[in-house]
Amino acid sequence: MQKLTCLLILFFISGLLYSQELPDISISEKFNNTSLSKVIRVLKNKYDVKIAYDDALVTGVTVNGQYSNKSVTTFLDEILSSKGIDYRVLNGKIILTPGQVNIDLNTPSLFDLTVYGMIHDAETGEFLPNALIRVAGENKGTVSNKDGFFSLSQVPTDTSTIEVTYLGYKKSTVKLDPTKSRMTIRVSMAENTLDLAEFTVVDLRTDNTIQYGEEISQISIDPNSLTSLSSLGELDVFRSLQLLPGIGGTDETSSDLIIRNSPSSQNLVLLDGFKIYRLDHFFGVFSAINPDAVRDIQVYKGGFGPKYGDRVSGVVDITGKSGNFNNPEYSFGINLLSARMSVNAPLNEGKGAIHFSTRRAYTDIIRSNLFQKLYKNYRESSNQLNNQGNSNSLRPNFHFYDFNLKSTYNLSDRDIASFSMYWGRDELYTDFDQITGSSTNRTSENIDESSLWGNLGIGGTWSRNWSKNYYSSFQLAYSGHNFDYFFQSEDRDKNEQVIRTHGANRLNEVADLQINYRHELKLKEIHKIDFGLNISSINTINDVTIDEQIQQPTGNRKQSGNIVGLYASDELRVTKNFRLNVGFRHNITDLTNENYFARRLGMTYQLTPSLKLKLSNGQYYQLARQITYDDPHSNLQDGWNLANDQMFGAIEAEHLIGGLNYSKNGFMVDMEYYHKDVSGLVEFTVSHIITPGRPNHPRPLVTVSNGEDKIRGLDLLIQKKIGPYHGWLAYTHSKSSSTYSQINAGQRLPSRLDQRNEAKFVHILEFKKFNLSATFLYGSGKPFFKPDLNFIRNNDGTIVNYEILNLNKTVERLPSYHRLDLSAALKFENEKIRGEFGISILNAYNHQNIQSRRLNIHAIERAIGNGEEPSQFYRDIVLLDFTPSIFLNLFF
């Protein structure tokens, strides 16, 4: 109530403190289990009643009944009766205050006890995962699990005060009652705003948009705070994560998560426990996950515990929204590319809830300027089309859609059942015709292309709190992914004779059936044991055809196998300030002739109340991987393959991480040094060799290279929140090098993802009527690899053909990357609806950033065909220029 006290003092100082009669208002309303905060909003917007209150005071309070022609005071007397809430009238405003309570200061009766309970959203009733629970004034604490359940040991007495914090919510405090010390605590969390009559004051809370978790390299993100950031029309889950240190962000057209210089395929991405194999829509423009479906995001940049397996770089663990257990709510959003909607509703009088959300791009119906710009960017990043000439000659038919469904039901006070489903799909069909040259030397080009890809995830989970010390969950899940690509190019001369053809086909499918059985057990107050079983039965299909030649470097078109993962970890509190986490993961598989045992070790030491030291070491294995096709001719995308004994085994990584975290009064500094060695890498390098007797049909030659990466780096985050402002500086300095057996004779080169310096400055201002944000990104130049070109000449010395020798590369650096993004949103609301309308601008000062360079095949072939010496060997792949977008979001 400190804010209300300050408010009263302010009124007194200003000479505004005096009693005044309220206007004569007649209130007629019907409420059915409606939260008090919503009732107040009706009074504000419909009846123009000015009310000030602390949201912690009204959290969990509901109103029932029908009221007809009630005065303001009569209405308040009736709805606040027996609620423990009083009110005062000050200068025509109503101030809600706590009612008179007789505080019983009992002396403690129990000592060194365990407190357990549930954390949930006061408005929707959703359980909140990863909330931080601590004893007031002490460092010891724990976090709630996926179902919002927590067990906090070594609480000093049964009169202690428990503090609960959750990103985007006000801190809640619970004073333990000795008469109820053995009961489950249920903590209601209110969103982090203080609602006053004419304005909304953002709470001066101590937590930030970004918060480091209990585990090393673990970051918690507040999805609601990210809505203010610039985007291509809507909050983008994965591209928002790219603003964190250690996650690559210098490509606005990619949703890939480049965590600490490792490719996105080496990260485990989970949605409600099942795997997501592809992270994007529209070739990277949008994330695969609808932001409306996200409740919580946990990011592990390395050093993650043994409960996570199958990947060697990082983890993104997403918990989907469960729905609203109290009242139905709806949302709708639209931008220049797509529209989306969501529904959250209770089931069976609040015993359960359901969430449904969906998106669809309408780019197959309305081809806006933004779509044409994004499509052109994708087109130019491929190496398959000549100069597009008149844009009307391109006929793309493209759209994507996805939907999320989640239902949660409380079977009992201890049992929760949930079902979650995700399905997303992209469909692209393109044909292209172009005539170049003069009437006497005319050539025509015809292109046909199609791409179909998508994800499917289904999971059913049963979880139970057996006691205050034991929790378990069982999940049966399925993850599926498919990518089907076709490309055909045909060049004809003036007589319609075919002079050159090029074709590529790519099919990749993944079917992954999973069983996840997890247990959490507390022993003797200082041990928190996490153990379980993961079983994955996985099947893949891979077809690759280049110029009618089947390419199967992995040996088998179809692969299948089983992976059984057993894991256990013990979080041991050695002393009050020293925490040790020891664990292992053992993978048993029939994919290879060996099994894989991996250790885990983590240590944290709370040096002062504000300063924590941390150290981590671990070993990681990955049996499903994406293999890179380095082909200068085609646009073939990486495909998922399984380890085997014939071609390649598992990817193996060793992590070493050390750092510190300082956090006090809304100011945080986090610094981590990381050392990562990755072995067992494979790359398929495609050269194009002239075949004797077929000069117009180069033969693709695929070479398999085994490799390793050595990665070193330093991540720094400086974050500050004060009043309506919150922002951060994220900086990464790193060096990543690779060695591949067949490339440049095994010499060590910079890796493809080597970027020595990257910095991001993020600034957000949130007010009642509008939000503003500005984001500046800088990245030093990434490497560019130039293959050798062997030009073939006739007896006169004229170039008549050429070969691409892709195993010999020259390394150059691209120019530095930088851009400024801006966003502004106007907010509005009444008693029935609230919303925001805004504009977002990417690359506000229109800087030309180069994503990469590609071999200019068409320019080279055109010069050779005209008997000229080729001069334009490469062309720049330019990212987005000045790109504005508008959006509208509505909430009912």
Side-chain angles (χ1 to χ4, degrees), residues 384-387 393 395 432-448 488-502 858 861-862:
Q384 298 167 340
L385 294 188
N386 201 348
N387 178 23
S393 62
R395 295 182 289 273
F432 171 79
D433 298 294
Q434 181 167 280
I435 298 175
T436 58
S438 63
S439 58
T440 59
N441 188 23
R442 187 187 67 176
T443 61
S444 62
E445 180 183 23
N446 174 259
I447 297 290
D448 286 304
Q488 183 68 45
S489 171
E490 191 175 77
D491 293 346
R492 296 175 179 268
D493 61 17
K494 64 179 181 179
N495 298 317
E496 292 299 313
Q497 297 296 314
V498 176
I499 58 176
R500 183 177 294 272
T501 62
H502 172 61
H858 295 289
E861 293 176 351
R862 186 167 53 249

Side-chain angles (χ1 to χ4, degrees), residues 104 106-107 109-110 158-159 176-183:
D104 185 11
N106 294 331
T107 58
S109 58
L110 295 176
D158 56 2
T159 59
L176 297 183
D177 185 343
T179 64
K180 301 177 181 179
S181 59
R182 299 186 184 277
M183 297 177 61

Side-chain angles (χ1 to χ4, degrees), residues 303-460:
F304 45 91
K307 66 181 179 182
Y308 298 113
D310 303 330
R311 298 294 186 269
V312 296
S313 180
V315 175
V316 179
D317 193 351
I318 302 172
T319 302
K321 286 184 179 178
S322 300
N324 193 316
F325 288 78
N326 298 325
N327 300 289
E329 59 182 9
Y330 312 92
S331 72
F332 173 79
I334 190 169
N335 56 69
L336 295 180
L337 297 174
S338 65
R340 69 188 197 277
M341 59 84 68
S342 70
V343 177
N344 296 278
L347 296 174
N348 195 15
E349 298 180 347
K351 290 184 179 180
I354 189 169
H355 166 85
F356 174 78
S357 57
T358 185
R359 288 186 296 180
R360 192 191 191 281
Y362 45 77
T363 47
D364 55 334
I365 303 171
I366 303 175
R367 295 170 183 166
S368 65
N369 290 333
L370 177 58
F371 167 70
Q372 293 179 23
K373 179 181 294 188
L374 294 172
Y375 183 78
K376 180 176 181 291
N377 178 268
Y378 155 70
R379 264 285 142 251
E380 292 183 348
S381 66
S382 73
N383 214 19
Q384 298 167 340
L385 294 188
N386 201 348
N387 178 23
Q388 295 175 17
N390 186 347
S391 61
N392 292 327
S393 62
L394 269 176
R395 295 182 289 273
N397 185 335
F398 170 77
H399 71 279
F400 71 82
Y401 57 89
D402 60 37
F403 74 82
N404 292 78
L405 174 67
K406 186 174 182 180
S407 179
T408 305
Y409 198 86
N410 296 316
L411 299 175
S412 70
D413 291 339
R414 295 180 179 270
D415 299 271
I416 299 174
S418 65
F419 172 82
S420 185
M421 182 176 182
Y422 165 75
W423 185 31
R425 186 168 175 84
D426 287 65
E427 298 181 2
L428 168 67
Y429 303 93
T430 303
D431 60 272
F432 171 79
D433 298 294
Q434 181 167 280
I435 298 175
T436 58
S438 63
S439 58
T440 59
N441 188 23
R442 187 187 67 176
T443 61
S444 62
E445 180 183 23
N446 174 259
I447 297 290
D448 286 304
E449 181 185 34
S450 67
S451 277
L452 307 173
W453 72 92
N455 290 298
L456 172 64
I458 303 173

